[in-house]
Amino acid sequence: MTDMERRGRRAPLTQTGTIKIGLFKKVSCEIRDLSSGGARIIAPDDIDLPEEFYLRTEKKTRLRPCLRRWQSGRETGVEFI
């Protein structure tokens, strides 16, 4: 996917986020790029991300539903739905 196909221009950054999986599991992550349509996150090695999960950035209070679009090692590209 190119920048032209994305729903928003990515802004590089480094901030902490929280991944919510299921009802009770919460995991810290790093957010490296963020746009209105998605993000690139770095998750811990021992986490197997499902197809759908929620992400909260450190500056937002609400959870954003996400679709996992690609994964390479600890890096994952997500689309906000």
Side-chain angles (χ1 to χ4, degrees):
M1 188 178 285
T2 66
D3 279 338
M4 296 298 286
E5 295 169 320
R6 290 193 179 103
R7 288 192 288 161
R9 189 140 193 101
R10 285 187 177 178
L13 65 114
T14 300
Q15 72 175 229
T16 303
T18 303
I19 298 168
K20 184 174 184 284
I21 302 169
L23 293 175
F24 303 108
K25 189 170 189 172
K26 293 181 183 178
V27 179
S28 290
C29 68
E30 289 180 40
I31 301 171
R32 293 290 176 94
D33 292 319
L34 188 62
S35 73
S36 61
R40 180 171 57 104
I41 62 173
I42 310 293
D45 283 331
D46 59 343
I47 296 300
D48 187 23
L49 292 175
E51 182 78 21
E52 293 184 32
F53 58 93
Y54 292 90
L55 177 67
R56 176 181 286 138
T57 64
E58 64 186 20
K59 298 189 189 287
K60 299 286 184 180
T61 56
R62 70 181 177 107
L63 292 169
R64 302 281 308 259
C66 298
L67 275 177
R68 180 174 38 90
R69 289 303 191 185
W70 59 267
Q71 190 166 5
S72 178
R74 294 177 52 214
E75 288 191 344
T76 303
V78 300
E79 178 183 2
F80 297 136
I81 53 176

